[in-house]
């Protein structure tokens, strides 16, 4: 299967700052909205937080050496904004910058291409307290932060992404309330989403001035399939799909906000300045795609627009997240997306499965389910590329088990097992399979 990918294709893995770094109080790092969210009882299923996480902040050098042993050619990480600007504005904190200097230089010394995300949800708490993404000023602060990052690291980064999954940050954080800041208001969600888009646009402009690296954003995609051809189910699936897959992408690619959805949101639709749409639609060089599952959808009038309810597929296999394993959706989304937006280059910024593989037997976790998940998704990726979608890298989620947001440490996505008592890393059988696969 390796031969189905071009020689220049990069295989790697991804993580994010809050999920692995720990050291939340060290070297001048300010607090983030996730630190605060974790202190509220009931928000995190196992009452945990990212204070220690995988302690990657202290174990960075050996973690990168492990990536090298696993033959990884690329590594996607995110920068913790509160390490760089503890209060979300003003001068950069040199100790924070120095950590990412070391990380990037160590990656390069090991021949691993650095993919850097500026924002993977750990907003400085000071900005959160000033309204977070509901405050337009946060977008301007993000542009300042992007200047700092581009200036300092722009000579060594392969690809930058401004934001990770604005859909998830907006909808799960402001409508479902399962992520920081824990709001449950549709109107606020759409305002937050718009300001994130604006931050992205201004962030790209800022980075462009500072760095020759490839620039883009990371979007999560998920097909919505109606359970049957009843018109109500079809419409719920079409609109659910639209919100998930096009609400952000359409304005990013100069198409404005999708009309059917604007009408569906009705009074909840935010007001905005038309000039914003121009700022949002900055040319991009490479788009990151996160893909995990699909949604089998039926209409439910008790739910707000798009009245979409996700139902279980009795014939399908599910991961430990309760997500249907559906590799064909990756081919579908990439080909559909490419037809509509014709992006120059894509990379899979995340793809992977959580499985209940916490037990080490004879020195290893035998996670054949994860290996199979990856194999099938790599096949689906190759199929999309065979249909002409230009994809240049695949980054597995995740390098190691880590803090899975509201689910704490109860879900494991890693290729590498983390023992949270000792913080020992042990490659699972999937990591060994991936290492051999990359070697070809
Ligand atoms: C996020 C990751 C998360 C993963 C699994 C993605 O939405 O970017 O941070 O761990 O999904 O839930």
């Amino acid at each position: 299967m390796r031969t189905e990918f071009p020689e220049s294709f990069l295989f790697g893995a991804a993580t994010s700052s809050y999920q692995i770094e720990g050291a939340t109080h060290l070297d001048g790092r300010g607090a983030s909205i996730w630190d605060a969210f974790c202190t509220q009882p009931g928000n995190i299923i196992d009452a945990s937080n990212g204070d220690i996480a995988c302690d990657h902040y202290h174990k960075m050098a050996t973690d990168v050496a492990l990536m090298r042993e696993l033959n990884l050619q690329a590594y996607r990480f995110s920068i913790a904004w509160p390490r760089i600007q503890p209060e979300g504005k003003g001068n950069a904190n040199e100790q924070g910058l120095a950590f990412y200097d070391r990380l990037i230089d160590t990656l390069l010394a090991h021949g691993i291409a650095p993919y850097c995300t500026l924002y993977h949800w750990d907003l400085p708490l000071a900005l959160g307290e000033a309204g977070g993404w509901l405050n337009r000023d946060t977008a301007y602060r993000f542009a300042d932060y992007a200047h700092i990052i581009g200036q300092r690291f722009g000579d060594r980064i392969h690809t930058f992404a401004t934001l990770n999954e604005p859909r998830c940050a907006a909808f799960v954080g402001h409508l479902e309330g399962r992520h920081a800041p824990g709001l449950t208001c549709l109107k606020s969600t759409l305002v937050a989403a718009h300001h994130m888009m604006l931050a992205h646009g201004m962030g790209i402009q800022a980075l462009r001035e500072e760095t020759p690296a490839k620039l883009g954003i990371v979007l999560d995609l998920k097909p919505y399939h109606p359970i049957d051809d009843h018109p109500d189910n079809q419409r719920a699936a079409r609109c659910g799909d639209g919100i998930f897959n096009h609400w952000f992408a359409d304005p990013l690619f100069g198409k404005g906000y999708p009309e059917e959805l604007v009408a569906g949101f009705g009074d909840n639709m935010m007001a905005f300045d038309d000039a914003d749409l121009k700022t949002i639609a900055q040319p991009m060089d490479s788009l990151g795609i996160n893909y995990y599952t699909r949604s089998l959808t039926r209409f439910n009038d008790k739910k707000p627009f798009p009245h979409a309810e996700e139902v279980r597929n009795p014939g399908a296999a599910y991961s430990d997240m309760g997500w249907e394993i559906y590799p064909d959706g990756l081919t579908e989304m990439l080909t559909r997306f490419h037809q509509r937006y014709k992006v120059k280059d894509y990379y899979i910024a995340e793809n992977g499965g959580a499985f209940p593989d916490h037990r080490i037997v004879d020195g290893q976790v035998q996670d054949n389910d994860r290996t199979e998940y990856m194999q099938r998704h790599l096949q689906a990726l190759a199929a999309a590329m065979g249909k002409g979608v230009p994809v240049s890298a695949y980054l597995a989620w995740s390098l190691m088990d880590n803090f899975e947001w509201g689910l704490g440490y109860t879900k494991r996505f890693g290729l590498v097992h983390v023992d949270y008592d000792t913080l020992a890393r042990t490659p699972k059988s999937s990591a060994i399979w991936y290492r051999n696969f990359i070697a070809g």
Side-chain angles (χ1 to χ4, degrees), residues 101-337:
D101 265 337
R102 288 199 300 277
L103 167 62
I104 294 164
D105 290 343
T106 312
L107 289 168
L108 292 174
H110 286 78
I112 300 169
Y115 282 60
C116 172
T117 303
L118 271 66
Y119 182 73
H120 200 126
W121 310 346
D122 39 4
L123 187 73
L125 182 60
L127 297 184
E129 286 171 344
W133 289 109
L134 302 182
N135 184 349
R136 188 177 171 94
D137 185 60
T138 298
Y140 295 88
R141 300 287 68 78
F142 182 79
D144 292 347
Y145 163 61
H147 271 294
I148 297 173
I149 298 302
Q151 216 166 59
R152 178 73 169 233
F153 308 121
D155 56 337
R156 286 162 290 158
I157 296 295
H158 181 290
T159 300
F160 278 109
T162 51
L163 311 179
N164 177 67
E165 299 189 358
R167 183 214 59 87
C168 189
F171 282 80
V172 182
H174 300 77
L175 181 63
E176 298 175 28
R178 291 188 287 115
H179 282 183
L183 305 182
T184 51
C185 167
L186 179 56
K187 222 171 190 150
S188 302
T189 300
L190 298 178
V191 171
H194 183 71
H195 290 153
M196 287 179 201
M197 292 284 83
L198 193 61
H200 158 80
M202 297 199 300
I204 292 278
Q205 289 173 329
L207 289 168
R208 212 44 102 194
E209 287 176 21
E210 309 288 357
T211 166
K214 290 204 220 173
L215 308 182
I217 189 170
V218 173
L219 300 178
D220 50 335
L221 301 182
K222 159 164 137 173
Y224 277 61
H225 295 158
I227 46 161
D228 57 28
D229 55 12
H230 189 286
D232 287 345
N233 295 328
Q234 299 255 341
R235 180 160 188 275
R238 187 177 68 246
C239 292
D241 192 281
I243 294 172
F244 206 103
N245 301 306
H246 303 300
W247 186 254
F248 295 86
D250 271 14
L252 285 171
F253 294 101
K255 297 179 188 295
Y257 287 108
E259 273 170 29
E260 184 177 19
L261 304 180
V262 171
F265 284 137
D267 291 348
N268 289 306
M269 182 65 190
M270 74 284 175
F272 64 93
D273 190 334
D274 271 352
D276 288 355
L277 290 178
K278 220 169 143 202
T279 309
I280 292 169
Q282 295 299 311
M284 287 192 261
D285 312 303
S286 190
L287 182 72
I289 302 290
N290 293 351
Y291 178 80
Y292 288 96
T293 186
R294 74 152 166 184
S295 173
L296 199 57
T297 307
R298 102 170 137 220
F299 173 77
N300 179 344
D301 64 358
K302 289 188 192 66
K303 292 204 163 236
F305 176 76
H307 316 294
E309 179 184 11
E310 193 158 315
V311 298
R312 226 176 142 86
N313 177 359
Y318 280 76
S319 76
D320 201 25
M321 295 293 280
W323 296 345
E324 182 181 351
I325 299 173
Y326 188 73
D328 286 350
L330 179 58
T331 317
E332 176 190 330
M333 287 318 298
L334 284 171
T335 46
R336 259 178 58 189
F337 207 81

Side-chain angles (χ1 to χ4, degrees), residues 6 9 334 344-348 381 384-385 389-394:
F9 195 93
L334 284 171
K344 285 185 233 162
D345 176 60
Y346 303 85
Y347 61 101
I348 303 304
L381 173 59
M385 292 170 70
V389 185
V391 185
S392 55
Y394 173 88

